[in-house]
Amino acid sequence: MAVQGGAPAAQPRKFSLPVDSEHKSTKFNIFSVAAPHMRTFHLSWISFCACFVSSFAAAPLLPVIRDNLNLTDTDIGNAGIASVSGAVFARIMMGSACDLVGPRLASASLILITSPAVYLTSIASSPASFFLVRFFTGFSLATFVSTQFWMSSMFSSTVVGTANGVAGGWGNLGGGATQLIMPYVFAIIEHIGATKFTAWRIAFFIPAIFQTLSAFAVLMLGEDTPDGNFGELQKTGEKAKDKFSTVVYNGAKNYRGWILALTYGYCFGVELTIDNIIANYFYDRFNLNLHTAGIIAASFGLANLFSRPYGGILSDVVAKRYGMRGRLWALWLVQTLGGVFCVILGLVQSLSVSIAIMIIFSLFVQAACGLTFGVVPFISRRSLGVISGMTGAGGNVGSVLTQLIFFRGSRYSKEKGISLMGVMIIGCTLPIVLIYFPQWGSMLTGPASSKIASEEEYYLSEWTPEEKAKGYHLAALKFADNSRTERGKSLSKGTADAASAAASPHV
């Protein structure tokens, strides 16, 4: 072992996967559990999935819960809104927490804090208590932010869209899985001998235990970065401690994050809304039994197995040729088509056609979620958590507003509400054209001038001269260099040609 100054020199960590200069993996292998990259991937999606199962466990059992607690349509609508509204504030705070203490502690803490609400659902005895347990359980959905932050910290720019898409998509599977799991658990408990009003209460112990165990797994097996946990890196001086106010201000002033928060409200926000209403919609409109309605509703959420991951993969694929502009175009097109199919879903009157359109709609709207987080990691390096939190919170805000406007009370029928929701998707996706990066351009325009703007200039602008003098910006410098891939082939070729012309002695 080499010795420097009388002390053993630290040996560089060896990784199972190829890595870039930040030690982020440049490969994504879902069949691997190698630490830290792929182990982190599996911990993140499983824990997020557990929270999704808990948050929507009530949805497929609503016909039974409704009778037991004497819930009105307004009560059900309010409870559905409660299940996603709590996470609005939680997601914003989770983003800041990830920037400051790391995704491992932030995620495990939130999962443990919210798990009691899942257990307490079993003793809900009134519309008010049912509203409260769904509200506090919904806070756990903020683990989505730590999931996406984690993937962006572990995987390089060439595969980050894929990693974010698969982790988010497989986590969102909980919304579909619970539509299958809870009716089966309920039926088994009822078959054993419990009354139906007791069976649904006992059933809630399954998601509660799943959520609790996932928190301990994250805490004991997770790592914040490829080089270790935030606390350890800060003690050794490898990572500077940042200020809460600075991180939040830096993220909040970046308008690109606000646009993605709006558009995400009408892809992920719509997904949350559908998770809450779709089983009840098929149960009431087509006179189906609870089990059949649950299976149909499950197909929407279970499409996340491949639809959201495909969105992330598509984002990385188009970026290889067209760079960031390709990512933006793909996001706008896919989400707009999702809106079109949402409109159609509310208009069709046949059960079989409704199921087919719902599945097609799910593919587009969930792929748009994956495409969104193919863009998010490039908005800010210093305030990645804040931007992730803003975007994630936008999804919940979109769901709250949509449910308040279209699915609370009897102002609109559910089918009309679904069609109007589709119109909102189309309209709220348009602002994507306003997202502009000086070094890469936008959907409609190229970089600011014939001279290609610098990635270093964009990302290092987040640090003051005093902070740069202390070396706080060095990690951002590496990220800027690795993000040159977002220029795409045509822009990279133009840069190379310009450099060649400048070096040539001929005029």
Side-chain angles (χ1 to χ4, degrees), residues 271-285:
E271 184 179 346
L272 291 177
T273 300
I274 292 293
D275 282 336
N276 265 328
I277 70 167
I278 200 66
N280 212 24
Y281 168 70
F282 278 102
Y283 179 87
D284 289 336
R285 188 176 187 193

Side-chain angles (χ1 to χ4, degrees), residues 382-394:
R382 186 174 189 177
S383 300
L384 171 62
V386 173
I387 297 296
S388 299
M390 286 167 53
T391 306

Side-chain angles (χ1 to χ4, degrees), residues 236-250:
T236 60
E238 295 179 62
K239 178 177 175 59
K241 287 186 177 181
D242 221 330
K243 295 181 180 179
F244 174 78
S245 57
T246 303
V247 170
V248 172
Y249 174 74
N250 184 69

